[in-house]
Structure formats: C-alpha cells, structure tokens
Amino acid sequence: MATIFSTARLHNKVVLVTGASSGIGAATAVLFSMAGANVVLAARRAEKLAEIEQACIQANKDGGTGKGGRYATLSLDVNNHGQVDSILSALPDWAAQVDVLVNNAGLALGTERVGDLKFDDVDRMLDTNVRGLIRMTQVFVNMFKARDAGHIINVGSIAGVEPYPGGSVYCASKFAVRAFTSALMKELYDTQIRVSNIQPGMVETEFSIVRFHGDKQNADKVYAGIEPLAAQDIADEIVWAASRAPHVNIAEVLIMPTNQAGPFHVARSTAK
Ligand code: NDP
Ligand code: 8X3
C-alpha cells in the first residue's frame, strides 16, 4: 500500500554524522533527531558540537515521535588516523551499532588556478575530503558487512559532476568521492548495505568563509543576488535517502538552487 513519505524507519536508529558542528552536517544531525533517531555528532570544534547537541535535543522534542533522543559528541579530526581507526572504542554503548554513516566533513580552500596552488590547501582538501572519507568508510563498512546492514551516505558536490576553473583540486576531490562511492556501491550490490552520494550545488553555510580563509565579505559575494540552498535543504535529502524502504537505494542526488544550473550558471538579480 502506498503511504505518504515517512521517516518512521529511522526511529531509534543510530546515525553518525561527521562535520556536525556546522552547516549541512549540523542541520542533518538536527533533522535526524527530529525524525526520532539517536545521533553521534563528530567534528573538531567541541564547543560548536555542544550547541548543536542542544538543538538536537530540542528538535527531538519538537518532532514528537517519542523515539531516539540519545546523543553523543565526538571530537574527531578525520585527518587524524589514530582517532578514526579507534573511533568504535570512543562510541557510547548505545551507539555501538551504527546504522547510518554520513560522511559530510569537508572543505574547499582557495580559488587559485593551477600554477598558483598553495600546497597546504591542496593537501588539506585531499586529506579531508578524500582520505578522511575513505578511512571512515573503511572502519564502518566492516561493521556493516558483519551485519549485512547499514547505509553510507557521502556528501559529494556539483563540483564532482562539473569541474570549474579555480576549483581544480576541490573538484578533483569531489570527483574522487563520486568515483569511490560508485565503486563501493558496485562492491556491495549483493548485500543489504546501501551507498548514496548527495551532491549539492550552492549552499550558504560556513563553506565559503572557510574557502576564503575567513574573508566574510568575499564569501558573501558568492551568494549575492540569488537565493542559495540552505543547509536544511540538503539535510532533507539526506534524511529522505536514509528513510527509504530497505530495498530502495538512492544512488545519487544532484540538488541546486532554482536559479543555478551549474557551477558558473548562476542567475543573479540585482534586486535581491
Ligand atoms: P561548513 O564549513 O559549514 O561545514 C563543514 C564541516 O566539516 C564543519 O562541521 C567542520 O567541523 C567539518 N570539518 C572540516 N574539516 C574537518 C576535519 N578535518 N575533521 C572533521 N570535521 C571536519 O560547510 P558545509 O556544511 O557547506 O560543508 C559540508 C559538506 O558539504 C562538505 O563536504 C562540502 O564539501 C559539501 N558541500 C558544500 C556545498 C556548499 O555550497 N556549502 C556544496 C556542495 C558540497 P570542524 O571545523 O568543527 O571540524
Ligand atoms: C560546493 C559548491 O560550486 O563551490 O561544493 O563547488 S561549489
């Protein structure tokens, strides 16, 4: 029988979100909480995680499911091999069995063209967006294989679909996420483990502030004259993908603002 979209399948599930201290990861943690899941919030900034945990507690009450309501914050740098490799021992007992891993932690640094690249930035992007995501996946895929269950949701980008000048390394990192996710799906299609790649276009978060090394004025220009996506718009897609029936795998989603059709196809209005 057909039903209206429901998130009831998430009740009491355990979800681990990386990069949960800000933007898409924070909104995703909050929405999973509202849907009645238990959530582990992981990132480097502990004080930010504590704020988002409070938002999760409130969202769980607002959701009114009476399910979930358990939270843990985890100081995690996905570039720290020791922290990632020992992550299972850092989880509380109630989170020993993770059902959904959201590999969201990531960043862009700079808009330099090749020839002017700064290798500190190059290394951090590749380490965080690619190696960190692979290392996290390696830990949890073995848990999922042992149970023949679980869902790995990677946050890719339009940059992993359509490369653009000034974004060579960031685009390369998100192309890598897309290739890795697709190959993993092909390794697991004879199991009950699901693998998804959620690929946003322009989302107003701390992303551009980080990309421009704290220059808020330049960051604001990215979103001038257009209504960008909000972090909640992407959280909607992630929670929707996670709450589909077990035989349904949302392989890829590409989501952009209505006035965007590609990285440089952005219709800006001076009136906005
Ligand atoms: P934000 O800058 O708001 O959030 C990034 C998150 O990643 C923060 O919580 C940050 O936490 C975390 N993070 C960064 N480095 C590390 C690390 N080494 N270890 C653990 N956590 C880390 O940006 P968004 O929310 O926009 O970005 C989230 C994801 O979405 C990224 O993968 C990004 O590439 C992707 N994306 C963003 C788009 C956009 O337009 N905003 C579009 C397409 C994709 P902390 O600093 O506390 O560690
Ligand atoms: C972030 C979106 O267009 O800056 O992934 O690459 S874009």
Side-chain angles (χ1 to χ4, degrees), residues 199-247:
Q199 304 168 115
M202 187 187 279
V203 190
E204 190 165 9
T205 61
E206 292 179 13
F207 177 84
S208 292
I209 300 173
V210 171
R211 180 171 220 168
F212 292 111
H213 299 284
D215 182 342
K216 172 106 172 50
Q217 248 184 342
N218 250 337
D220 286 346
K221 285 185 195 153
V222 174
Y223 312 108
I226 181 173
E227 184 172 353
L229 298 172
Q232 289 82 355
D233 296 319
I234 308 306
D236 279 348
E237 300 303 313
I238 293 171
V239 171
W240 171 73
S243 57
R244 295 310 84 216
H247 68 286

Side-chain angles (χ1 to χ4, degrees), residues 18-26 42-46 48-49 76-80 83 103-108 124 127-129 155-159 170 173-174 198-210 222-223 231 234:
T18 68
S21 60
S22 160
I24 293 168
R44 294 167 302 179
R45 288 173 294 173
K48 286 272 185 189
L49 286 178
L76 175 75
D77 181 341
V78 296
N79 297 328
N80 183 318
Q83 283 181 10
N103 276 319
N104 162 76
L107 77 176
R124 271 186 62 203
D127 283 346
T128 309
N129 301 357
V155 178
S157 169
I158 190 172
Y170 180 68
S173 78
K174 292 298 186 180
I198 307 296
Q199 304 168 115
M202 187 187 279
V203 190
E204 190 165 9
T205 61
E206 292 179 13
F207 177 84
S208 292
I209 300 173
V210 171
V222 174
Y223 312 108
I234 308 306

Side-chain angles (χ1 to χ4, degrees), residues 157 161 196-200 237-238 240-241 250-255:
S157 169
V161 177
S196 304
N197 186 12
I198 307 296
Q199 304 168 115
E237 300 303 313
I238 293 171
W240 171 73
I250 305 300
E252 283 195 347
V253 174
L254 179 62
I255 168 173

Side-chain angles (χ1 to χ4, degrees), residues 4 62 85 116 118 139 159 187 190 199 243-244 253 266:
I4 196 88
D62 294 345
D85 292 344
D116 295 321
K118 297 190 173 69
V139 169
E187 289 181 8
D190 57 349
Q199 304 168 115
S243 57
R244 295 310 84 216
V253 174
V266 177

